[in-house]
Amino acid sequence: MTSAPTHAKGLEGVIAGETEICNVEQTSLIYRGYEIADLAANATFEEVAYLLLVGSKPNADELAKFKADLVAERSLPAPVVEFLKTSGDLVNNQSAVPMDILRTAVSIQAHVDPDCQDNAPEANLRKAKRLLAKIPTIIGHMQNSIEGKDFVAPRDDLSHSANLLYMMTGSEPTPEAEKVMDVSLVLYAEHDYNASTFTSRVITGTLADMHGGVTGAIAALKGKLHGGANEAAMDMLSDIRNDIGPENDTAKITEWMHKAFAEKRKLMGFGHRVYKNGDHRAPILHALGRKAAEARGEEFVKLFDLGETVQKIMEDEKTIYPNVDFPCGMTYFTMGIPVPQYTPIFVASRITGWAAHIMEQHANNRLIRPRVAYTGPALRNWND
Ligand code: SDX
């Protein structure tokens, strides 16, 4: 028996392509030349979306046109609206979760997008803008349906972030809530060859269309080891709270974690394939979320205190650091967002990164088709 050629399990450390869009390193996270902390402090999500999709920082006219294009595309076509009317029942009956609804809604959107079959750069950019504009409306309508309410129509005068929160709740968010949402979307927008982006490039590397690539990417993002971790991190903190009671007793938290370690459970929102010394995005979102919690009151401050104790134990005992999904869970909870919508909101941001990668793939395509080491039975005869 010949031994299988060596390979990197999970493609760890493998350079699987080239990109001009983003560079993820231990020391920095850069979108098209701009450091993430610089963008989080100084750019809006719309500016970052333009940067990722078009390749350069927009000037005032370019930004105004881009924002107007997005606003004009916020409403949904009839087949998507009809589907979303059923979404509340599907979710409330527990036969689907919001990520499934969003995946199907994007797939239905493909049927009515006039550019669906056209992979030319201009058509791809039009599709990217439509998806970017419509995904918050899908999330908003879905949440309205889950709550048995009428659909809240998008508002032309609100930013991408404010409009997303407005459509989910029917109330205009405070400037502080809008800012926290906006920064979270900036942080989530792009992250080179993560699993969902790689999925989108494999799909569109066959010359399949952008909607197919994005539908597959949403399916990949759903998993708890990837984007689903922002929901799972919050669920984990709720489990700890239920087990330890209302006070943040460090001994009880330590005991909870030692049990998880002994059972070899993964703590959600911790660890990263690339970042071994911490995720550059996590402290930025943590600081904003903590500030929001302090403004909201004791219950939310206690949640952050709990998260910080969990984080300290992970760092001290395992040298494993939180990724962006850990503070995201606590932050979105503080903002009153229903937990099952956390990963759909990740989609509302990452659509920019996916679309940029799909355009880059189509612009310089080669089919992605690696080999695999065969480890099955040796040759045998059917009639033996
Ligand atoms: C995202 O790739 C991206 O860029 C993704 C992302 C993006 O923006 O697109 O950053 C978004 O997906 C963030 C990750 C969200 N996932 C989670 O929070 C789930 C929990 N984390 C892990 O399961 C894990 O850390 C992964 C999936 C994120 C990374 O997995 P790897 O690289 O395959 O690492 P591993 O599972 O092989 O772990 C290596 C060691 C193991 O210990 P040993 O067996 O070597 O002793 O670290 C331990 C693991 O047990 N470990 C953890 C842990 N993460 C790693 N132990 C407990 N809890 C954890 N969370």
Side-chain angles (χ1 to χ4, degrees), residues 168-379:
M168 290 182 80
T169 61
S171 308
E172 200 177 319
T174 62
E176 291 77 21
E178 176 184 1
K179 177 71 183 162
V180 176
M181 176 52 67
D182 207 64
V183 173
S184 77
L185 297 186
V186 167
L187 298 174
Y188 265 145
E190 164 55 12
H191 219 231
D192 79 29
Y193 264 31
N194 60 84
S196 55
T197 302
F198 189 62
T199 301
S200 77
R201 289 194 75 134
V202 171
I203 292 171
T204 53
T206 69
L207 297 184
D209 59 277
M210 177 175 284
H211 284 82
V214 171
T215 304
I218 294 172
L221 193 78
K222 176 187 172 187
K224 284 184 174 46
L225 296 188
H226 191 16
N230 59 6
E231 297 176 18
M234 189 58 226
D235 289 340
M236 181 186 78
L237 289 171
S238 299
D239 286 347
I240 298 176
R241 172 64 70 225
N242 284 338
D243 288 352
I244 68 165
E247 297 312 318
N248 288 331
D249 180 329
T250 305
K252 284 187 181 166
I253 300 168
T254 307
E255 191 189 335
W256 193 99
M257 290 183 64
H258 284 173
K259 187 161 180 280
F261 295 155
E263 291 169 0
K264 302 234 173 288
R265 272 191 277 144
K266 293 274 163 58
L267 268 75
M268 293 292 128
F270 285 89
H272 198 273
R273 175 58 66 80
V274 181
Y275 298 129
K276 297 304 172 198
N277 308 312
D279 179 331
H280 310 296
R281 302 163 295 183
I284 299 173
L285 194 52
H286 189 104
L288 269 177
R290 170 128 208 142
K291 204 167 142 216
E294 281 160 8
R296 229 179 138 202
E298 183 60 21
E299 180 198 341
F300 302 94
V301 173
K302 271 167 97 172
L303 171 65
F304 271 81
D305 290 343
L306 171 61
E308 284 163 21
T309 304
V310 169
Q311 181 173 331
K312 185 164 186 332
I313 296 167
M314 270 306 260
E315 292 179 3
D316 289 350
E317 298 194 19
K318 295 276 173 191
T319 332
I320 295 177
Y321 298 87
N323 57 61
V324 65
D325 289 321
F326 191 64
C328 176
M330 296 186 284
T331 302
Y332 286 174
F333 186 84
T334 299
M335 295 171 77
I337 296 168
V339 176
Q341 296 290 11
Y342 296 1
T343 319
I345 293 173
F346 192 157
V347 173
S349 166
R350 186 57 61 85
I351 178 61
T352 53
W354 293 333
H357 277 273
I358 290 167
M359 290 191 279
E360 192 175 62
Q361 186 68 35
H362 278 157
N364 184 17
N365 191 56
R366 191 159 190 228
L367 179 78
I368 298 171
R369 200 296 184 200
R371 298 293 310 277
V372 64
Y374 176 68
T375 58
L379 191 62

Side-chain angles (χ1 to χ4, degrees), residues 16-68:
E18 287 180 2
T19 184
E20 295 179 354
I21 302 166
C22 178
N23 191 18
V24 177
E25 300 282 355
Q26 300 300 335
T27 49
S28 61
L29 164 58
I30 289 166
Y31 297 173
R32 296 200 187 273
Y34 298 97
E35 235 288 322
I36 194 67
D38 186 8
L39 294 170
N42 300 309
T44 64
F45 176 66
E46 282 93 332
E47 289 171 311
V48 169
Y50 184 99
L51 172 72
L52 291 170
L53 294 173
V54 179
S56 56
K57 177 181 169 180
N59 64 30
D61 288 348
E62 287 164 339
L63 182 62
K65 164 92 173 55
F66 183 70
K67 284 162 86 169

